[in-house]
Amino acid sequence: MQNVLLVRYGEVFLKGANRPHFLKVLTDNIKRAVKPLGGHVWLSDSRVYVSGFSDLQATIDRVTKVFGVYSVSPAVEMEKDIDVIAAEAVKLMRGYSGTFKVQGKRSDKKFPMNSMEIAAEIGHQVLESNPNLKVDVHKPQHKLMVEIRDNAYICVEEIRAVGGMPMGTGGKAALLLSGGIDSPVAGYQLMKRGVRMCAIHFQSPPYTGELAKDKVLQLAKKLAFYSGGMRVYLVPFTKCQLEIHEKCPDELGTLITRRFMMRIAERIARDFGALALITGESLGQVASQTMEALTCTDAVVEMPVFRPLIGLDKTEIMAIAERIDTYETSILPYEDCCTVFTPRHPVTKPKLETMPKVEAKLDVEALVTEAVAGTEMVIVEG
Ligand code: ATP
Ligand code: MG
């Protein structure tokens, strides 16, 4: 008999022939998450289990943040003997009052009782031992789950986890990470779908300082927790911005700047082995995020650009930022390169055809190549 943490996984179920691979990745990710706390992790019969942990709450906190995990339950593992199970169920339910029901699950069909019989027998013994409990099969306050698998497991509490897909199963992408509220959330949303990513940050010294860079590295660290580390590419962007500011009409400044960011990001992304770019844009939030403006930014890259926040309101984005603990860092007041040369009256409906004309005054290729060549890479630990 031992205490274990029973881990249920969500959508990984749907993966057909790829399921063993997804489950192996999920199990490895859980192993990595609990490693600092000690504990043994194994996959058996549709569940992952963790045992031998020193601190249950800390183990729960970590495992519920592993993408692909649907929920967890502190459980007792024991031999498949109905008397032993009933005795443990009685012990487990001792502190509870109100209504309950027993939910039996027999995946080992050799076990002599079926799910209904297991539930009836255990329910009966629990009721007899605890006068503060009543049965309610429709809307119980507590659900005592009894699972007969390779061993028997019982548990009551079920704690929801992040869900999503195991990290690493969704391919590789590059996140354009500013110091703002939106882009860390955009990164998180796609990490949740199993996407491994690097971050690309554009900095314009001396207009942006060391503190702005530190802030971005702090944000990257919050994200790196989910992937066990992350590469951050720091792109020197001052020259591009100055040239754009000097040679292009003010009202198109932000848009041309964004086109440069995309071009540079695509090259770095290829080098990293990424197949897509990710930004924190949300439709209509600012002038450069109208449909016309996004068409102009997308036109300079071949890679798909994922914008997981496109349909979210700022308040919804802020709520996620709070939940994933990036908000407080994002609102630190350091300059981002985008705010350095903000035009007073940016166009909201730019025409794609005018872009090449405007950019003809710049040596696009040379500027992009120089920025990529000057890029510095930092590894942020998870
Ligand atoms: P955020 O809160 O993420 O800064 P935002 O609403 O301020 O977003 P913009 O400044 O227009 O929007 O930037 C849109 C997107 O472009 C950002 O979400 C981010 O993906 C990318 N971006 C902007 N500035 C930078 C930067 N300095 N480095 C890397 N990416 C950037
Ligand atoms: Mg910004």
Side-chain angles (χ1 to χ4, degrees):
M1 193 152 342
Q2 65 172 341
N3 291 323
V4 298
L5 189 68
L6 184 155
V7 182
R8 301 176 188 82
Y9 41 82
E11 262 181 67
V12 177
F13 263 128
L14 306 173
K15 294 299 150 205
N18 285 326
R19 219 167 108 184
H21 166 66
F22 278 69
L23 288 178
K24 164 135 190 9
V25 176
L26 178 67
T27 310
D28 287 347
N29 291 350
I30 295 173
K31 279 183 189 161
R32 212 193 56 226
V34 302
K35 200 166 175 204
L37 303 169
H40 175 55
V41 178
W42 71 99
L43 167 71
S44 170
D45 190 18
S46 303
R47 297 274 187 258
V48 177
Y49 301 93
V50 186
S51 72
F53 33 77
S54 50
D55 180 339
L56 175 64
Q57 192 52 50
T59 305
I60 292 174
D61 288 346
R62 284 182 157 263
V63 176
T64 50
K65 288 196 185 106
V66 174
F67 295 127
V69 174
Y70 173 78
S71 70
V72 302
S73 292
V76 185
E77 177 191 88
M78 71 211 88
E79 61 189 283
K80 289 181 275 190
D81 176 320
I82 192 69
D83 295 328
V84 175
I85 301 168
E88 277 307 306
V90 164
K91 249 198 260 169
L92 183 65
M93 293 307 288
R94 214 168 261 160
Y96 288 89
S97 60
T99 59
F100 85 112
K101 93 173 204 184
V102 182
Q103 191 175 298
K105 192 171 212 160
R106 180 183 62 153
S107 89
D108 171 8
K109 300 297 177 208
K110 284 197 225 104
F111 190 75
M113 298 163 84
N114 67 25
S115 302
M116 298 286 281
E117 289 162 345
I118 296 167
E121 176 59 26
I122 299 210
H124 171 72
Q125 297 211 28
V126 169
L127 261 185
E128 277 208 330
S129 72
N130 185 340
N132 300 323
L133 283 171
K134 270 201 323 237
V135 172
D136 178 349
V137 289
H138 301 296
K139 273 196 169 165
Q141 286 168 291
H142 315 291
K143 222 192 277 177
L144 170 59
M145 291 165 273
V146 180
E147 304 196 353
I148 309 293
R149 298 178 178 275
D150 51 345
N151 289 297
Y153 298 88
I154 58 169
C155 56
V156 194
E157 306 295 336
E158 180 168 359
I159 303 146
R160 280 299 301 270
V162 276
M165 296 297 292
M167 172 53 59
T169 60
K172 274 162 90 176
L175 168 68
L176 281 80
L177 182 63
S178 71
I181 295 169
D182 303 332
S183 44
V185 174
Y188 175 84
Q189 289 300 108
L190 282 171
M191 285 185 132
K192 185 167 173 240
R193 298 306 297 170
V195 176
R196 196 172 283 291
M197 61 189 70
C198 67
I200 301 174
H201 177 67
F202 295 86
Q203 45 185 5
S204 293
Y207 305 99
T208 62
E210 279 298 300
L211 289 173
K213 174 177 138 186
D214 291 347
K215 172 182 173 181
V216 166
L217 293 177
Q218 270 183 53
L219 288 171
K221 190 162 178 63
K222 301 261 180 193
L223 294 175
F225 168 82
Y226 297 98
S227 52
M230 186 187 251
R231 285 188 190 189
V232 180
Y233 294 91
L234 299 166
V235 184
F237 203 44
T238 318
K239 188 161 174 192
C240 291
Q241 286 202 280
L242 287 175
E243 289 262 316
I244 295 166
H245 188 60
E246 230 170 78
K247 297 181 180 161
C248 300
D250 192 49
E251 66 277 12
L252 288 173
T254 308
L255 196 58
I256 305 291
T257 306
R258 304 215 36 81
R259 281 163 60 93
F260 271 82
M261 281 188 176
M262 299 307 259
R263 290 182 177 110
I264 296 164
E266 187 177 48
R267 294 213 193 159
I268 296 170
R270 282 227 170 87
D271 197 49
F272 174 69
L275 296 181
L277 300 175
I278 305 167
T279 75
E281 289 156 316
S282 148
L283 193 66
Q285 197 189 76
V286 287
S288 60
Q289 297 175 24
T290 63
M291 231 181 254
E292 290 83 353
L294 295 176
T295 307
C296 292
T297 10
D298 277 3
V300 297
V301 288
E302 282 171 9
M303 274 184 192
V305 181
F306 293 152
R307 298 183 169 95
L309 312 184
I310 199 74
L312 296 190
D313 296 349
K314 194 75 186 186
T315 49
E316 293 170 311
I317 299 168
M318 281 158 62
I320 302 174
E322 299 247 18
R323 187 157 52 75
I324 64 170
D325 195 29
T326 53
Y327 184 77
E328 290 300 321
T329 310
S330 287
I331 59 172
L332 293 172
Y334 310 120
E335 285 283 318
D336 178 62
C337 70
C338 282
T339 51
V340 176
F341 302 107
T342 314
R344 224 167 311 149
H345 303 289
V347 284
T348 52
K349 290 186 192 308
K351 293 209 163 47
L352 187 56
E353 316 83 78
T354 62
M355 296 295 124
K357 278 179 238 155
V358 173
E359 287 176 351
K361 299 197 182 77
L362 306 165
D363 189 342
V364 174
E365 180 53 34
L367 285 167
V368 169
T369 307
E370 193 180 328
V372 173
T375 295
E376 180 199 345
M377 198 265 282
V378 179
I379 293 181
V380 175
E381 302 294 333

